[in-house]
Each structure stands twice: as structure tokens, then as C-alpha cells.
Amino acid sequence: MIYTCTLNPSLDYFLEVNDFQLGQLNRMKTDKKMPGGKGVNVSRVLRRLGAQSVALGFIGGFTGDFIRRQLISENIDTDFVEVDGDTRINVKIKSREETEINGLAPAITDEQVDELLLKLNRLNDRDILVLSGSVPETLSADIYKQMMQQIKDQNVKVIVDTSGPALREAVAARPFLIKPNQSELGGLFNTDISSIEEAVIYAKKLIDEGAENVIVSMGGKGSLLVNRETAVYAEAPRGEVKNSVGAGDSLVGGFLFEYARNGDYIEAFRYGTASGSATAFSVDLCSKEDTEALLPKVKIHQI
Ligand SMILES: Nc1ncnc2c1ncn2[C@@H]1O[C@H](COP(=O)(O)OP(=O)(O)O)[C@@H](O)[C@H]1O
Ligand SMILES: O=P(O)(O)OC[C@H]1O[C@](O)(COP(=O)(O)O)[C@@H](O)[C@@H]1O
């Protein structure tokens, strides 16, 4: 089974404004509320591609209820820990440019953390655990590392998609895969990464620090997969971008879907890149049909 864990899920509030003006009254053209947060999106992508998963993490309040109800309506299994405050609302403004304002997490108690950790005891070597998204302010930045250390004898494959100190700590616990985007990778080394060659250099440093596979997503430029044996670049297909929120989560979900199906890294990487692009070219997350139509357009280059 695939388990996704979102410590900091969100109700994503998408709104479209013609010619957004800072400091002025703007009126919306359209709006939409969606369940969000990185692991939640991975679960939704997996479902759309045809794979089951269980969504773990913390939810609370009316926004948490919304997320749970939406996931259940999409036939996704949920096993969240309830917290007292409201799950955050993340605002996604689409105008000439995309602007995002991500909210603050509700407080989470030590007992609630223990409740979540207890759920990990049931995982075994046939399971995959996706630890995705930011860490709530009230939790320790090394929580992903702690979770991985707790289950290290259960031989679960762990994927980590986060940034900053939480990612750096988690890398030391030897995840199967991490997926920083270009700026998150640069952020780890206090540098700006501007080319594929530079991204490979820094991805290799993360392999040396403990990650087994590193996928660096680079928006419209595509993505990179680096491990001890290989370094490959996938050129993303071109198309009209409708909404790039969730593109990175779709890359992770698509990779995982194909990897769980056939165990081939390169084909999984191609599928993930196509899923990311299919999401960027759609209003909601990728569909299986759109993803598979893009597969032949993802060009893989050995580096
Ligand atoms: N403008 C775009 N055109 C084509 N594909 C895109 C575009 N933006 C994102 N993608 C696809 O989605 C993947 C993840 O996007 P990215 O923006 O790098 O992730 P994140 O959301 O984590 O920052 C990319 O590797 C690419 O395959
Ligand atoms: O936990 P974070 O880093 O604040 O990110 C949460 C946000 O990222 C998303 O999961 C989208 O992530 P990606 O665009 O990186 O795929 C949104 O649904 C959510 O609002």
C-alpha cells in the first residue's frame, strides 16, 4: 500500500482576477476550493491514475472536514489525526502571474504527534510512505527524520518532498527519493541554480548525504533524475499553462504510480514528468488520459 502523510494540509482557495492590482479592490472572475497539501495531492493524483493510497496527517475544523469529505468522495482512504484548530487555507491567485499565499498550521500537541507516529507501526516492506509538504511551526524541523528512524527496521520505501531544514535532516535518514524543485535545491546550498549542469552537481551532493534518488523539478524546463548509477534529464512537453499548483506533487504521484507498477526508474521518471506537465496544462490535477497522451512528448536525455 502507498501511504501519504501531510503534516500541513490545506484548503486551497483558487481565485482568478483580471489584471490583479495590489492595494486596490479586486473582484474575482472565478473561484474554486480544493483539498490541498502535498501528500493530499499525491493521493489524489494516484487515484486519478488508478492506484489506491491511504492519506495520513493532521486535519482539523471545518477546513479539515472539507478535505476529508472531498477525499472520501474520490474514494481515497483517509486515516488522519484530528487537531483542535482549523486546517489552514492557502490562497492561489491567478492573474497575469500566479501568486500564492500559504497559511499557518493549527497547533499540534505531543499526544497528537504520538497518535500519528503509532499509525506508522503497521507499515511493512511492501509499503511506500510519502512524507510531503511543509512542517507545521509547532513541530520540530527534524520530524520527518524522526519518522524515518522510527520505521527503519520495517524496510518501508520513503519519499520525502519538503524543503529547508526538514529536507536536510530527512536526507541523513536515507530516503529512497527526494524531490526538491530548482529553487529548493539551491536553498539547501545557499545558492541560485540556473542550469541543468549545476542542478546535477548539487543533486549529487544530496546523494552523498544519503538520498538514494534525487528528482529535481525545474518547472517548464522539465526535471532531472540523479542516483549513484545515472543522471538523466527529461525535457517537459510544451503546452498552455492553466495552473501549475500541484505540478510537483503530480510528478511525485506519477513517478510512484509507474514505479509501483513496473519498478523501472526511467519509465517512472518519464511518467512523473508527464503527470507534472499534464497538471500544469489542466485546471485541476492531471488525468490519466492527459498524462499518457504526453508520454511520447517527454524526451529523456542521458547526461
Ligand atoms: N510550464 C510548464 N510546462 C510544462 N511542464 C511543466 C510546467 N510547469 C511544471 N511542469 C511539469 O511539472 C513538473 C513539476 O513542476 P515544478 O513547478 O518544478 O514543481 P513544484 O510545483 O514542486 O515547484 C516539472 O518537472 C514539469 O514536468
Ligand atoms: O506545505 P507547503 O510547502 O506550504 O505547500 C502546500 C501547497 O503546495 C501544494 O501541495 C502544491 O504543491 P506543488 O505545486 O509543489 O505540487 C498545494 O496544494 C498547497 O497549497
Side-chain angles (χ1 to χ4, degrees), residues 38 161 179 181-182 184 216-223 236-239 241 244-249 251 272-277 280-281:
K38 298 200 189 298
D161 181 9
K179 192 227 64 73
N181 64 25
Q182 187 173 339
E184 289 163 348
V216 184
S217 65
M218 306 176 86
K221 280 190 282 183
S223 47
R238 289 182 195 286
V241 176
S244 64
V245 175
D249 304 336
L251 199 175
T273 303
S275 306
S277 299
F281 304 155

PDB file of all heavy atoms in Angstrom, residues 38 161 179 181-182 184 216-223 236-239 241 244-249 251 272-277 280-281, ligand 1:
ATOM      1  N   LYS A  38       0.740  18.763   0.052  1.00  0.00           N
ATOM      2  CA  LYS A  38       1.486  17.940  -0.902  1.00  0.00           C
ATOM      3  C   LYS A  38       1.102  16.457  -0.889  1.00  0.00           C
ATOM      4  O   LYS A  38       0.877  15.860  -1.938  1.00  0.00           O
ATOM      5  CB  LYS A  38       2.976  18.152  -0.703  1.00  0.00           C
ATOM      6  CG  LYS A  38       3.352  19.607  -0.977  1.00  0.00           C
ATOM      7  CD  LYS A  38       4.793  19.810  -1.260  1.00  0.00           C
ATOM      8  CE  LYS A  38       5.158  21.283  -1.305  1.00  0.00           C
ATOM      9  NZ  LYS A  38       4.494  22.072  -2.340  1.00  0.00           N
ATOM     10  N   ASP A 161       9.251  14.950   0.164  1.00  0.00           N
ATOM     11  CA  ASP A 161       9.141  16.150  -0.674  1.00  0.00           C
ATOM     12  C   ASP A 161       8.877  17.345   0.235  1.00  0.00           C
ATOM     13  O   ASP A 161       7.734  17.659   0.556  1.00  0.00           O
ATOM     14  CB  ASP A 161       8.014  15.973  -1.702  1.00  0.00           C
ATOM     15  CG  ASP A 161       7.892  17.200  -2.602  1.00  0.00           C
ATOM     16  OD1 ASP A 161       8.769  18.080  -2.540  1.00  0.00           O
ATOM     17  OD2 ASP A 161       6.909  17.272  -3.365  1.00  0.00           O
ATOM     18  N   LYS A 179      12.419  15.046  -3.767  1.00  0.00           N
ATOM     19  CA  LYS A 179      12.081  15.820  -4.971  1.00  0.00           C
ATOM     20  C   LYS A 179      12.085  17.328  -4.710  1.00  0.00           C
ATOM     21  O   LYS A 179      11.031  17.959  -4.648  1.00  0.00           O
ATOM     22  CB  LYS A 179      10.730  15.386  -5.559  1.00  0.00           C
ATOM     23  CG  LYS A 179      10.525  15.980  -6.947  1.00  0.00           C
ATOM     24  CD  LYS A 179       9.176  16.603  -7.193  1.00  0.00           C
ATOM     25  CE  LYS A 179       8.731  17.779  -6.449  1.00  0.00           C
ATOM     26  NZ  LYS A 179       9.322  19.094  -6.753  1.00  0.00           N
ATOM     27  N   ASN A 181      12.427  21.184  -5.832  1.00  0.00           N
ATOM     28  CA  ASN A 181      12.431  21.888  -7.119  1.00  0.00           C
ATOM     29  C   ASN A 181      13.748  22.672  -7.189  1.00  0.00           C
ATOM     30  O   ASN A 181      14.543  22.665  -6.239  1.00  0.00           O
ATOM     31  CB  ASN A 181      11.162  22.748  -7.312  1.00  0.00           C
ATOM     32  CG  ASN A 181      11.052  23.873  -6.295  1.00  0.00           C
ATOM     33  OD1 ASN A 181      12.061  24.322  -5.743  1.00  0.00           O
ATOM     34  ND2 ASN A 181       9.842  24.333  -6.040  1.00  0.00           N
ATOM     35  N   GLN A 182      13.943  23.329  -8.311  1.00  0.00           N
ATOM     36  CA  GLN A 182      15.232  24.001  -8.555  1.00  0.00           C
ATOM     37  C   GLN A 182      15.568  24.999  -7.444  1.00  0.00           C
ATOM     38  O   GLN A 182      16.690  25.031  -6.940  1.00  0.00           O
ATOM     39  CB  GLN A 182      15.098  24.716  -9.903  1.00  0.00           C
ATOM     40  CG  GLN A 182      16.353  25.335 -10.414  1.00  0.00           C
ATOM     41  CD  GLN A 182      16.143  25.857 -11.838  1.00  0.00           C
ATOM     42  OE1 GLN A 182      15.239  25.438 -12.551  1.00  0.00           O
ATOM     43  NE2 GLN A 182      16.993  26.777 -12.242  1.00  0.00           N
ATOM     44  N   GLU A 184      14.317  25.102  -4.324  1.00  0.00           N
ATOM     45  CA  GLU A 184      14.511  24.413  -3.036  1.00  0.00           C
ATOM     46  C   GLU A 184      15.899  23.762  -2.978  1.00  0.00           C
ATOM     47  O   GLU A 184      16.557  23.768  -1.931  1.00  0.00           O
ATOM     48  CB  GLU A 184      13.433  23.338  -2.845  1.00  0.00           C
ATOM     49  CG  GLU A 184      12.051  23.919  -2.585  1.00  0.00           C
ATOM     50  CD  GLU A 184      10.894  22.954  -2.794  1.00  0.00           C
ATOM     51  OE1 GLU A 184      11.088  21.856  -3.366  1.00  0.00           O
ATOM     52  OE2 GLU A 184       9.768  23.308  -2.415  1.00  0.00           O
ATOM     53  N   VAL A 216      14.996  16.502  -9.399  1.00  0.00           N
ATOM     54  CA  VAL A 216      14.920  17.959  -9.280  1.00  0.00           C
ATOM     55  C   VAL A 216      13.910  18.427 -10.323  1.00  0.00           C
ATOM     56  O   VAL A 216      14.101  18.211 -11.523  1.00  0.00           O
ATOM     57  CB  VAL A 216      16.288  18.624  -9.565  1.00  0.00           C
ATOM     58  CG1 VAL A 216      16.192  20.137  -9.339  1.00  0.00           C
ATOM     59  CG2 VAL A 216      17.388  18.009  -8.716  1.00  0.00           C
ATOM     60  N   SER A 217      12.825  19.040  -9.862  1.00  0.00           N
ATOM     61  CA  SER A 217      11.842  19.523 -10.836  1.00  0.00           C
ATOM     62  C   SER A 217      12.194  20.954 -11.192  1.00  0.00           C
ATOM     63  O   SER A 217      12.601  21.738 -10.331  1.00  0.00           O
ATOM     64  CB  SER A 217      10.432  19.393 -10.283  1.00  0.00           C
ATOM     65  OG  SER A 217      10.268  20.235  -9.178  1.00  0.00           O
ATOM     66  N   MET A 218      12.057  21.260 -12.481  1.00  0.00           N
ATOM     67  CA  MET A 218      12.511  22.564 -12.971  1.00  0.00           C
ATOM     68  C   MET A 218      11.419  23.256 -13.785  1.00  0.00           C
ATOM     69  O   MET A 218      11.685  23.855 -14.824  1.00  0.00           O
ATOM     70  CB  MET A 218      13.792  22.362 -13.790  1.00  0.00           C
ATOM     71  CG  MET A 218      14.875  21.608 -13.011  1.00  0.00           C
ATOM     72  SD  MET A 218      16.357  21.250 -13.943  1.00  0.00           S
ATOM     73  CE  MET A 218      17.280  22.748 -13.704  1.00  0.00           C
ATOM     74  N   GLY A 219      10.186  23.147 -13.310  1.00  0.00           N
ATOM     75  CA  GLY A 219       9.057  23.823 -13.968  1.00  0.00           C
ATOM     76  C   GLY A 219       8.992  23.460 -15.448  1.00  0.00           C
ATOM     77  O   GLY A 219       9.139  22.300 -15.827  1.00  0.00           O
ATOM     78  N   GLY A 220       8.777  24.473 -16.288  1.00  0.00           N
ATOM     79  CA  GLY A 220       8.622  24.260 -17.732  1.00  0.00           C
ATOM     80  C   GLY A 220       9.856  23.664 -18.400  1.00  0.00           C
ATOM     81  O   GLY A 220       9.782  23.167 -19.521  1.00  0.00           O
ATOM     82  N   LYS A 221      11.005  23.708 -17.699  1.00  0.00           N
ATOM     83  CA  LYS A 221      12.221  23.116 -18.303  1.00  0.00           C
ATOM     84  C   LYS A 221      12.209  21.598 -18.171  1.00  0.00           C
ATOM     85  O   LYS A 221      12.951  20.906 -18.852  1.00  0.00           O
ATOM     86  CB  LYS A 221      13.474  23.668 -17.602  1.00  0.00           C
ATOM     87  CG  LYS A 221      13.855  25.051 -18.096  1.00  0.00           C
ATOM     88  CD  LYS A 221      15.215  25.451 -17.572  1.00  0.00           C
ATOM     89  CE  LYS A 221      15.100  25.902 -16.141  1.00  0.00           C
ATOM     90  NZ  LYS A 221      16.227  26.383 -15.458  1.00  0.00           N
ATOM     91  N   GLY A 222      11.408  21.052 -17.238  1.00  0.00           N
ATOM     92  CA  GLY A 222      11.354  19.597 -17.075  1.00  0.00           C
ATOM     93  C   GLY A 222      11.919  19.161 -15.745  1.00  0.00           C
ATOM     94  O   GLY A 222      11.728  19.834 -14.734  1.00  0.00           O
ATOM     95  N   SER A 223      12.649  18.053 -15.759  1.00  0.00           N
ATOM     96  CA  SER A 223      13.151  17.534 -14.483  1.00  0.00           C
ATOM     97  C   SER A 223      14.404  16.687 -14.687  1.00  0.00           C
ATOM     98  O   SER A 223      14.717  16.267 -15.805  1.00  0.00           O
ATOM     99  CB  SER A 223      12.057  16.703 -13.793  1.00  0.00           C
ATOM    100  OG  SER A 223      11.476  15.816 -14.708  1.00  0.00           O
ATOM    101  N   ALA A 236      10.410  18.736 -20.537  1.00  0.00           N
ATOM    102  CA  ALA A 236       8.940  18.753 -20.379  1.00  0.00           C
ATOM    103  C   ALA A 236       8.293  19.104 -21.713  1.00  0.00           C
ATOM    104  O   ALA A 236       8.843  19.884 -22.488  1.00  0.00           O
ATOM    105  CB  ALA A 236       8.544  19.780 -19.331  1.00  0.00           C
ATOM    106  N   PRO A 237       7.113  18.523 -21.978  1.00  0.00           N
ATOM    107  CA  PRO A 237       6.385  18.906 -23.190  1.00  0.00           C
ATOM    108  C   PRO A 237       5.954  20.370 -23.099  1.00  0.00           C
ATOM    109  O   PRO A 237       5.867  20.928 -22.003  1.00  0.00           O
ATOM    110  CB  PRO A 237       5.145  18.008 -23.164  1.00  0.00           C
ATOM    111  CG  PRO A 237       5.253  17.142 -21.983  1.00  0.00           C
ATOM    112  CD  PRO A 237       6.400  17.571 -21.142  1.00  0.00           C
ATOM    113  N   ARG A 238       5.705  20.979 -24.235  1.00  0.00           N
ATOM    114  CA  ARG A 238       5.211  22.367 -24.241  1.00  0.00           C
ATOM    115  C   ARG A 238       3.698  22.381 -24.317  1.00  0.00           C
ATOM    116  O   ARG A 238       3.097  21.485 -24.908  1.00  0.00           O
ATOM    117  CB  ARG A 238       5.762  23.113 -25.466  1.00  0.00           C
ATOM    118  CG  ARG A 238       7.222  23.375 -25.346  1.00  0.00           C
ATOM    119  CD  ARG A 238       7.750  24.156 -26.546  1.00  0.00           C
ATOM    120  NE  ARG A 238       9.208  24.078 -26.543  1.00  0.00           N
ATOM    121  CZ  ARG A 238       9.986  24.738 -25.711  1.00  0.00           C
ATOM    122  NH1 ARG A 238       9.462  25.535 -24.795  1.00  0.00           N
ATOM    123  NH2 ARG A 238      11.295  24.623 -25.765  1.00  0.00           N
ATOM    124  N   GLY A 239       3.096  23.384 -23.722  1.00  0.00           N
ATOM    125  CA  GLY A 239       1.637  23.484 -23.777  1.00  0.00           C
ATOM    126  C   GLY A 239       1.199  24.754 -23.085  1.00  0.00           C
ATOM    127  O   GLY A 239       2.019  25.490 -22.531  1.00  0.00           O
ATOM    128  N   VAL A 241      -0.116  26.723 -20.125  1.00  0.00           N
ATOM    129  CA  VAL A 241      -0.180  26.513 -18.670  1.00  0.00           C
ATOM    130  C   VAL A 241      -1.484  27.100 -18.132  1.00  0.00           C
ATOM    131  O   VAL A 241      -1.767  28.283 -18.296  1.00  0.00           O
ATOM    132  CB  VAL A 241       1.036  27.156 -17.965  1.00  0.00           C
ATOM    133  CG1 VAL A 241       0.919  27.018 -16.459  1.00  0.00           C
ATOM    134  CG2 VAL A 241       2.324  26.513 -18.455  1.00  0.00           C
ATOM    135  N   SER A 244      -0.246  25.805 -12.394  1.00  0.00           N
ATOM    136  CA  SER A 244       0.892  24.944 -12.078  1.00  0.00           C
ATOM    137  C   SER A 244       0.891  24.489 -10.614  1.00  0.00           C
ATOM    138  O   SER A 244       1.778  23.753 -10.198  1.00  0.00           O
ATOM    139  CB  SER A 244       2.210  25.620 -12.448  1.00  0.00           C
ATOM    140  OG  SER A 244       2.350  26.752 -11.655  1.00  0.00           O
ATOM    141  N   VAL A 245      -0.114  24.887  -9.818  1.00  0.00           N
ATOM    142  CA  VAL A 245      -0.184  24.403  -8.429  1.00  0.00           C
ATOM    143  C   VAL A 245      -0.443  22.891  -8.463  1.00  0.00           C
ATOM    144  O   VAL A 245      -1.374  22.432  -9.117  1.00  0.00           O
ATOM    145  CB  VAL A 245      -1.312  25.105  -7.636  1.00  0.00           C
ATOM    146  CG1 VAL A 245      -1.452  24.504  -6.244  1.00  0.00           C
ATOM    147  CG2 VAL A 245      -1.062  26.599  -7.559  1.00  0.00           C
ATOM    148  N   GLY A 246       0.408  22.148  -7.774  1.00  0.00           N
ATOM    149  CA  GLY A 246       0.234  20.692  -7.758  1.00  0.00           C
ATOM    150  C   GLY A 246       1.067  19.980  -8.813  1.00  0.00           C
ATOM    151  O   GLY A 246       1.050  18.742  -8.876  1.00  0.00           O
ATOM    152  N   ALA A 247       1.822  20.735  -9.631  1.00  0.00           N
ATOM    153  CA  ALA A 247       2.628  20.076 -10.680  1.00  0.00           C
ATOM    154  C   ALA A 247       3.710  19.202 -10.039  1.00  0.00           C
ATOM    155  O   ALA A 247       3.944  18.059 -10.466  1.00  0.00           O
ATOM    156  CB  ALA A 247       3.253  21.123 -11.598  1.00  0.00           C
ATOM    157  N   GLY A 248       4.344  19.729  -8.990  1.00  0.00           N
ATOM    158  CA  GLY A 248       5.398  18.940  -8.317  1.00  0.00           C
ATOM    159  C   GLY A 248       4.815  17.695  -7.656  1.00  0.00           C
ATOM    160  O   GLY A 248       5.396  16.610  -7.721  1.00  0.00           O
ATOM    161  N   ASP A 249       3.660  17.844  -7.031  1.00  0.00           N
ATOM    162  CA  ASP A 249       3.017  16.686  -6.375  1.00  0.00           C
ATOM    163  C   ASP A 249       2.606  15.654  -7.432  1.00  0.00           C
ATOM    164  O   ASP A 249       2.627  14.439  -7.178  1.00  0.00           O
ATOM    165  CB  ASP A 249       1.774  17.130  -5.593  1.00  0.00           C
ATOM    166  CG  ASP A 249       2.108  18.208  -4.575  1.00  0.00           C
ATOM    167  OD1 ASP A 249       3.276  18.281  -4.158  1.00  0.00           O
ATOM    168  OD2 ASP A 249       1.207  18.979  -4.209  1.00  0.00           O
ATOM    169  N   LEU A 251       4.202  15.166 -10.240  1.00  0.00           N
ATOM    170  CA  LEU A 251       5.435  14.471 -10.634  1.00  0.00           C
ATOM    171  C   LEU A 251       5.693  13.301  -9.666  1.00  0.00           C
ATOM    172  O   LEU A 251       5.950  12.172 -10.079  1.00  0.00           O
ATOM    173  CB  LEU A 251       6.601  15.469 -10.615  1.00  0.00           C
ATOM    174  CG  LEU A 251       7.884  15.155 -11.372  1.00  0.00           C
ATOM    175  CD1 LEU A 251       8.838  16.316 -11.307  1.00  0.00           C
ATOM    176  CD2 LEU A 251       8.568  13.903 -10.985  1.00  0.00           C
ATOM    177  N   GLY A 272       6.230  10.456 -14.407  1.00  0.00           N
ATOM    178  CA  GLY A 272       6.111  11.544 -13.428  1.00  0.00           C
ATOM    179  C   GLY A 272       6.189  12.904 -14.108  1.00  0.00           C
ATOM    180  O   GLY A 272       5.393  13.809 -13.822  1.00  0.00           O
ATOM    181  N   THR A 273       7.144  13.044 -15.014  1.00  0.00           N
ATOM    182  CA  THR A 273       7.303  14.330 -15.711  1.00  0.00           C
ATOM    183  C   THR A 273       6.049  14.638 -16.529  1.00  0.00           C
ATOM    184  O   THR A 273       5.545  15.773 -16.532  1.00  0.00           O
ATOM    185  CB  THR A 273       8.570  14.287 -16.599  1.00  0.00           C
ATOM    186  OG1 THR A 273       9.685  13.964 -15.746  1.00  0.00           O
ATOM    187  CG2 THR A 273       8.832  15.598 -17.296  1.00  0.00           C
ATOM    188  N   ALA A 274       5.522  13.609 -17.203  1.00  0.00           N
ATOM    189  CA  ALA A 274       4.295  13.813 -17.993  1.00  0.00           C
ATOM    190  C   ALA A 274       3.130  14.195 -17.072  1.00  0.00           C
ATOM    191  O   ALA A 274       2.315  15.067 -17.409  1.00  0.00           O
ATOM    192  CB  ALA A 274       3.960  12.533 -18.766  1.00  0.00           C
ATOM    193  N   SER A 275       3.045  13.578 -15.893  1.00  0.00           N
ATOM    194  CA  SER A 275       1.959  13.899 -14.953  1.00  0.00           C
ATOM    195  C   SER A 275       2.068  15.361 -14.501  1.00  0.00           C
ATOM    196  O   SER A 275       1.057  16.064 -14.404  1.00  0.00           O
ATOM    197  CB  SER A 275       2.020  13.012 -13.702  1.00  0.00           C
ATOM    198  OG  SER A 275       2.031  11.661 -14.049  1.00  0.00           O
ATOM    199  N   GLY A 276       3.301  15.804 -14.195  1.00  0.00           N
ATOM    200  CA  GLY A 276       3.515  17.201 -13.774  1.00  0.00           C
ATOM    201  C   GLY A 276       3.051  18.150 -14.869  1.00  0.00           C
ATOM    202  O   GLY A 276       2.322  19.119 -14.613  1.00  0.00           O
ATOM    203  N   SER A 277       3.434  17.855 -16.107  1.00  0.00           N
ATOM    204  CA  SER A 277       3.051  18.740 -17.217  1.00  0.00           C
ATOM    205  C   SER A 277       1.545  18.680 -17.452  1.00  0.00           C
ATOM    206  O   SER A 277       0.905  19.705 -17.702  1.00  0.00           O
ATOM    207  CB  SER A 277       3.813  18.355 -18.491  1.00  0.00           C
ATOM    208  OG  SER A 277       5.200  18.513 -18.258  1.00  0.00           O
ATOM    209  N   ALA A 280       0.042  20.967 -15.051  1.00  0.00           N
ATOM    210  CA  ALA A 280       0.276  22.378 -15.414  1.00  0.00           C
ATOM    211  C   ALA A 280      -0.664  22.809 -16.547  1.00  0.00           C
ATOM    212  O   ALA A 280      -1.102  23.957 -16.595  1.00  0.00           O
ATOM    213  CB  ALA A 280       1.734  22.575 -15.818  1.00  0.00           C
ATOM    214  N   PHE A 281      -1.021  21.867 -17.420  1.00  0.00           N
ATOM    215  CA  PHE A 281      -1.877  22.205 -18.571  1.00  0.00           C
ATOM    216  C   PHE A 281      -3.377  22.028 -18.266  1.00  0.00           C
ATOM    217  O   PHE A 281      -4.197  22.119 -19.163  1.00  0.00           O
ATOM    218  CB  PHE A 281      -1.517  21.330 -19.791  1.00  0.00           C
ATOM    219  CG  PHE A 281      -0.064  21.401 -20.207  1.00  0.00           C
ATOM    220  CD1 PHE A 281       0.538  20.353 -20.902  1.00  0.00           C
ATOM    221  CD2 PHE A 281       0.712  22.517 -19.903  1.00  0.00           C
ATOM    222  CE1 PHE A 281       1.877  20.409 -21.275  1.00  0.00           C
ATOM    223  CE2 PHE A 281       2.055  22.583 -20.278  1.00  0.00           C
ATOM    224  CZ  PHE A 281       2.644  21.526 -20.956  1.00  0.00           C
TER     225      PHE A 281
HETATM  226  N1  LIG B   1       5.165  25.419 -17.547  1.00  0.00           N
HETATM  227  C1  LIG B   1       5.264  24.080 -17.591  1.00  0.00           C
HETATM  228  N2  LIG B   1       5.287  23.446 -18.787  1.00  0.00           N
HETATM  229  C2  LIG B   1       5.425  22.105 -18.871  1.00  0.00           C
HETATM  230  N3  LIG B   1       5.569  21.317 -17.788  1.00  0.00           N
HETATM  231  C3  LIG B   1       5.574  21.881 -16.566  1.00  0.00           C
HETATM  232  C4  LIG B   1       5.418  23.295 -16.386  1.00  0.00           C
HETATM  233  N4  LIG B   1       5.468  23.576 -15.061  1.00  0.00           N
HETATM  234  C5  LIG B   1       5.638  22.380 -14.430  1.00  0.00           C
HETATM  235  N5  LIG B   1       5.722  21.370 -15.324  1.00  0.00           N
HETATM  236  C6  LIG B   1       5.949  19.943 -15.052  1.00  0.00           C
HETATM  237  O1  LIG B   1       5.687  19.659 -13.685  1.00  0.00           O
HETATM  238  C7  LIG B   1       6.898  19.247 -13.015  1.00  0.00           C
HETATM  239  C8  LIG B   1       6.952  19.824 -11.628  1.00  0.00           C
HETATM  240  O2  LIG B   1       6.869  21.233 -11.710  1.00  0.00           O
HETATM  241  P1  LIG B   1       7.625  22.237 -10.739  1.00  0.00           P
HETATM  242  O3  LIG B   1       6.976  23.571 -10.954  1.00  0.00           O
HETATM  243  O4  LIG B   1       9.083  22.162 -10.961  1.00  0.00           O
HETATM  244  O5  LIG B   1       7.303  21.624  -9.302  1.00  0.00           O
HETATM  245  P2  LIG B   1       6.925  22.343  -7.935  1.00  0.00           P
HETATM  246  O6  LIG B   1       5.427  22.544  -8.042  1.00  0.00           O
HETATM  247  O7  LIG B   1       7.288  21.356  -6.892  1.00  0.00           O
HETATM  248  O8  LIG B   1       7.702  23.626  -7.866  1.00  0.00           O
HETATM  249  C9  LIG B   1       8.035  19.707 -13.928  1.00  0.00           C
HETATM  250  O9  LIG B   1       9.166  18.885 -13.754  1.00  0.00           O
HETATM  251  C10 LIG B   1       7.400  19.568 -15.309  1.00  0.00           C
HETATM  252  O10 LIG B   1       7.416  18.220 -15.730  1.00  0.00           O
END
